[in-house]
Amino acid sequence: MKFSFTTIYGLHTVGDRKSLWHELRQLHTVQHGPWVAMRDFNAVLTEEDRINGAPIHENETVDFKEFIQDYNMAELRSVWAQFTWSNNTVSTRIYRGVGNAEWMLDYPLQDIVIMAPYFSHHAPLAIQLMGQQNKSYRPFRVFNFIAEHA
């Protein structure tokens, strides 16, 4: 497997994260082949990304959404948990993985695993690498003589 990997730490305010989006846009221009960026964006994408906290406003999501849309990025599927940060009152999804089009074509079945936080408010992430997928999918076939065999 050959791909580029970027680990992310986004600052806590919308204004302070402007440099993150700028740097990711610059990185995108030099990326060749599959690219995945993951970890703590400290940003939400949808209203479902936070429960029991302040309502999510558009200004919190716009920069992240524009980066994903402008650069053909897509969120990677995550498994095991929905939220990645909690203080036992508010739960949010601020950790995630995104990949470019080449990543999605070459590694469509890779998952981001949201692990149990144990002793922290933050849930660690892992990427579950299963090798390059065969792009030509073979159809499932049943041979009738097997079903009729005693």
Side-chain angles (χ1 to χ4, degrees):
M1 297 178 75
K2 184 178 178 182
F3 59 89
S4 297
F5 177 86
T6 304
T7 187
I8 304 296
Y9 177 73
L11 295 174
H12 296 282
T13 67
V14 172
D16 289 341
R17 281 192 300 273
K18 295 286 186 191
S19 63
L20 169 66
W21 307 122
H22 177 74
E23 289 175 26
L24 285 174
R25 288 172 189 274
Q26 288 181 321
L27 272 176
H28 181 270
T29 62
V30 297
Q31 290 301 318
H32 302 286
W35 176 39
V36 64
M38 65 181 259
R39 200 170 161 264
D40 185 359
F41 285 90
N42 245 327
V44 292
L45 279 172
T46 68
E47 291 180 12
E48 292 81 33
D49 285 345
R50 183 184 302 140
I51 58 170
N52 297 332
I56 293 175
H57 298 286
E58 184 180 352
N59 70 325
E60 293 179 79
T61 64
V62 70
D63 293 329
F64 200 176
K65 285 180 180 177
E66 284 178 359
F67 169 72
I68 287 174
Q69 184 176 9
D70 291 349
Y71 292 95
N72 277 338
M73 302 294 280
E75 184 173 2
L76 278 63
R77 185 177 70 155
S78 59
V79 295
W80 291 8
Q82 180 177 359
F83 298 103
T84 58
W85 181 90
S86 177
N87 65 3
N88 296 325
T89 303
V90 177
S91 295
T92 63
R93 182 181 170 127
I94 54 176
Y95 286 39
R96 55 181 23 108
V98 296
N100 67 0
E102 290 90 346
W103 173 271
M104 295 304 187
L105 289 171
D106 289 356
Y107 309 112
L109 302 178
Q110 309 307 328
D111 293 332
I112 299 294
V113 178
I114 301 171
M115 298 181 286
Y118 296 113
F119 54 84
S120 172
H121 295 298
H122 303 267
L125 299 182
I127 190 163
Q128 197 168 33
L129 298 174
M130 294 188 268
Q132 187 165 6
Q133 305 298 318
N134 184 352
K135 293 181 189 170
S136 61
Y137 299 103
R138 296 186 325 185
F140 176 76
R141 294 189 178 146
V142 175
F143 298 103
N144 290 334
F145 72 90
I146 293 174
E148 296 170 0
H149 188 271

